[in-house]
Amino acid sequence: MLGLALLLSCEGDDSLQQPPAVDDGIDEGTEPPPPTQPEDPPPPDEGDPPPVGGEEPDAGPPPVDPDAGIPPDNGPVGGGVPIPPDSASWRFLGTAEGGPREVLGVTQDEGGNIWVAGGEDGLCLLAPGAASLRCYTMADGLKPWAPWKGKDPAPETRYLKVLSVTGGPAGTVFVGYEGRPNCESEFYKAPGVGVVKDPTIFKSGDADRVELQADGTLRVVHYDIHSPAHSVPGYGHREKLCTVNRIVWDKARNSLWFASNHGLAWGEPDYQGGETCSSAEVLAANEWVYAGTEKRQRCKFGVMEHVHPAIAMGDSTTSEDSRLAGDVWGVAVRPDGDVWLGSHIRTTRFKIMTNAVGHVGTGAPWNFEAARKQSEEKKHRANRIDLWPDAVAEPLFPTHEQRKDDLVSDLALMGDGTVWVSSFAWGLAKMNDAGVVTGYHLAGESDRNVSSLERDPRDGSLWIGHRWGKGLMRMHAEGEFVSHNPALGGRGALPVWDIQAVGSGDARKVLVAFSAQRDAAGNIVRPGGIGIYSGK
């Protein structure tokens, strides 16, 4: 499956010789149902009151056909003045400086500590003023698993692969892990003789809150991203999300967003463990009443999950409809607190703060269920944006042959509300604040495998990292690209999985994660590294 191939090449084939296949059936099978809970009937699909004014919520212009003419947009991305590559503005660190063999993410906390997602080498730290990195593993307290019924998995079954990092308050970093193979489906095995649901698989992965202590040790609190039975309307116990591709910290609203396999989850940045969430506002908005009397709570163990802009697939060979969700890689928080999220199938505006707007008698800020409905219910199909359109649009369901999966890899929100969306397979799409696609770029065979994006706060330009072929480039004006490969000392041949900018003005830094190059057998033949850019 392409989703697994793109998931940091967990099968070991990260060869740079050919682009990945572009249509390999992500989430083709029907999503496994949750365990039956007769006392929790699923909420009706049309459960929302009618919108204000009687308007259909799925009205709105469709995305632009990529093969048609694109409406002009004369606004520059940044200052519009190209800045040539400059090797003197870069600092590189790799295995010689104690870094990991592959770098899958890089970030900085508010205390100036640079943290690195080092895959199987763990979580690595470059302290302010240090010349070398220190790497931490499970022996130092990292916890890429959660207990099941009070029991931790046996040590030999524990698996460490750090995929993602985002800096928090001084000395704090949020860390995302890869779950073990089949962690998404393990809990949903059909019952039968000899069938065992292995908690060392379905409780693997997820995320940690990591605090650096004065003596250099770590204090770790684990986010067990799941929903206990009776916490989500219509569902029993859920164990779907386990691999965290990216993490975004929204400091202004004290929120974390976990972009994961199968969907997006919310987390409390200051979570200290235990079952109860700490925010009174979040708890109030997500309390619900079952059967008119019994109060239940969605926010548990510091998280709420999950949302995905899934669609149905019409397969003429089986005459059955299958749900398509796909991994989430793109997340961008809007100024109003809503969240743009992009998956392998669709992109949506998750209206976590504005879900009551235009809807009578429903929702409130932080109401996860109301916001989920406005991304997932059939009547809200305009909020499932097909950036690179399939051959048919909702309400029709595409067959396998009619699909062109978007394969979103990242999102970057610009100062004017524009959203740039990258794809592992199709290049760049430009989307306006209303969710309408207004442009496409980098669609050529050698340009289109884009894996990471970041807006430069210094001038508003756009940094673009490729998984295949083109390394690192920067767009100062729309459609005008400057390659930084000449300044990278050959690192432009490595996949760029993550770009993060920290600071502002002349003090800002751009952090780049150069992953490793592997051979067909999965062996690392060229280690990755960290790039720190401090130029204009």
Side-chain angles (χ1 to χ4, degrees):
M1 291 171 60
L2 179 56
L4 295 177
L6 290 173
L7 190 57
L8 309 180
S9 299
C10 60
E11 297 300 322
D13 184 8
D14 206 4
S15 166
L16 302 181
Q17 302 306 309
Q18 297 183 27
V22 295
D23 188 2
D24 203 12
I26 296 174
D27 262 19
E28 254 177 58
T30 302
E31 180 183 16
T36 301
Q37 298 287 337
E39 74 276 21
D40 280 345
D45 184 63
E46 301 298 323
D48 282 350
V52 173
E55 295 181 355
E56 283 295 319
D58 59 4
V64 176
D65 184 339
D67 298 322
I70 300 300
D73 186 338
N74 297 323
V77 174
V81 179
I83 296 175
D86 174 18
S87 58
S89 298
W90 284 94
R91 178 189 180 192
F92 299 106
L93 301 105
T95 53
E97 291 76 31
R101 293 167 298 164
E102 63 177 348
V103 178
L104 304 176
V106 59
T107 191
Q108 180 176 298
D109 67 36
E110 291 185 332
N113 298 292
I114 292 178
W115 299 91
V116 179
E120 295 180 349
D121 291 341
L123 172 69
C124 302
L125 166 66
L126 180 70
S132 61
L133 293 94
R134 174 180 177 179
C135 292
Y136 298 87
T137 66
M138 289 186 288
D140 301 294
L142 298 184
K143 195 177 179 184
W145 77 86
W148 176 246
K149 297 184 178 179
K151 295 182 179 181
D152 284 331
E156 64 271 16
T157 66
R158 300 171 187 174
Y159 172 65
L160 174 67
K161 188 169 185 178
V162 180
L163 296 188
S164 53
V165 285
T166 195
T172 300
V173 63
F174 303 100
V175 182
Y177 299 109
E178 178 177 300
R180 292 181 61 191
N182 302 316
C183 57
E184 178 178 327
S185 58
E186 180 70 17
F187 188 77
Y188 298 92
K189 284 182 175 177
V193 177
V195 174
V196 177
K197 299 178 181 181
D198 188 349
T200 68
I201 296 176
F202 66 74
K203 298 301 285 187
S204 65
D206 294 341
D208 280 344
R209 183 184 194 273
V210 175
E211 290 183 27
L212 181 65
Q213 305 298 291
D215 62 358
T217 61
L218 304 179
R219 181 178 183 272
V220 178
V221 177
H222 187 67
Y223 291 96
D224 183 2
I225 304 175
H226 74 296
S227 292
H230 316 306
S231 60
V232 175
Y235 286 89
H237 190 104
R238 289 202 305 199
E239 297 278 357
K240 294 291 291 184
L241 276 58
C242 46
T243 293
V244 179
N245 301 314
R246 299 195 192 277
I247 307 174
V248 172
W249 178 40
D250 179 8
K251 181 180 179 180
R253 279 159 287 270
N254 197 37
S255 291
L256 286 176
W257 295 102
F258 299 112
S260 308
N261 67 295
H262 191 79
L264 181 74
W266 174 89
E268 283 190 331
D270 49 0
Y271 178 63
Q272 298 299 317
E275 182 176 354
T276 304
C277 296
S278 62
S279 169
E281 187 177 10
V282 171
L283 288 170
N286 290 281
E287 183 180 87
W288 59 284
V289 178
Y290 170 72
T293 58
E294 183 182 348
K295 292 183 179 180
R296 296 182 180 179
Q297 177 58 241
R298 185 175 196 132
C299 192
K300 297 275 188 144
F301 298 97
V303 299
M304 295 187 287
E305 62 85 38
H306 60 265
V307 60
H308 46 45
I311 63 168
M313 183 180 73
D315 189 340
S316 59
T317 63
T318 63
S319 70
E320 296 178 355
D321 294 333
S322 298
R323 295 189 69 188
L324 297 164
D327 292 4
V328 175
W329 281 80
V331 181
V333 180
R334 294 164 45 94
D336 59 13
D338 286 352
V339 179
W340 288 112
L341 75 94
S343 77
H344 282 172
I345 304 298
R346 294 289 188 270
T347 294
T348 190
R349 175 180 171 182
F350 182 51
K351 299 180 180 180
I352 187 65
M353 300 304 291
T354 68
N355 54 74
V357 176
H359 296 78
V360 177
T362 186
W366 299 111
N367 190 315
F368 199 99
E369 183 65 12
R372 182 200 64 78
K373 289 181 178 181
Q374 292 173 35
S375 286
E376 294 188 8
E377 285 189 343
K378 291 179 180 179
K379 62 184 177 181
H380 296 290
R381 61 181 179 266
N383 197 23
R384 290 183 291 277
I385 304 160
D386 193 3
L387 297 165
W388 287 271
D390 298 334
V392 298
E394 290 190 71
L396 300 177
F397 303 149
T399 64
H400 184 277
E401 292 73 20
Q402 292 172 322
R403 287 164 51 197
K404 183 175 182 178
D405 295 341
D406 290 348
L407 303 175
V408 170
S409 59
D410 209 348
L411 300 179
L413 179 65
M414 311 306 281
D416 63 354
T418 296
V419 183
W420 286 96
V421 187
S422 60
S423 169
F424 284 115
W426 310 116
L428 289 180
K430 182 183 181 184
M431 188 172 68
N432 67 18
D433 184 66
V436 177
V437 178
T438 62
Y440 294 94
H441 297 280
L442 299 179
E445 284 296 315
S446 64
D447 299 322
R448 59 189 176 89
N449 304 119
V450 183
S451 49
S452 53
L453 298 176
E454 181 76 349
R455 176 184 179 271
D456 193 325
R458 189 181 191 280
D459 62 0
S461 59
L462 184 68
W463 289 88
I464 304 163
H466 285 75
R467 181 175 186 260
W468 239 272
K470 285 299 180 90
L472 182 68
M473 59 176 59
R474 191 176 179 187
M475 183 166 67
H476 292 272
E478 183 169 347
E480 298 180 10
F481 303 94
V482 175
S483 173
H484 276 250
N485 291 354
L488 301 180
R491 295 171 184 84
L494 299 174
V496 179
W497 282 112
D498 189 29
I499 308 170
Q500 297 191 32
V502 293
S504 60
D506 291 340
R508 80 86 174 85
K509 291 183 288 189
V510 179
L511 311 176
V512 181
F514 296 100
S515 186
Q517 182 176 349
R518 297 176 181 266
D519 62 20
N523 302 308
I524 292 177
V525 295
R526 182 176 182 183
I530 303 108
I532 304 173
Y533 179 79
S534 56
K536 293 183 177 180

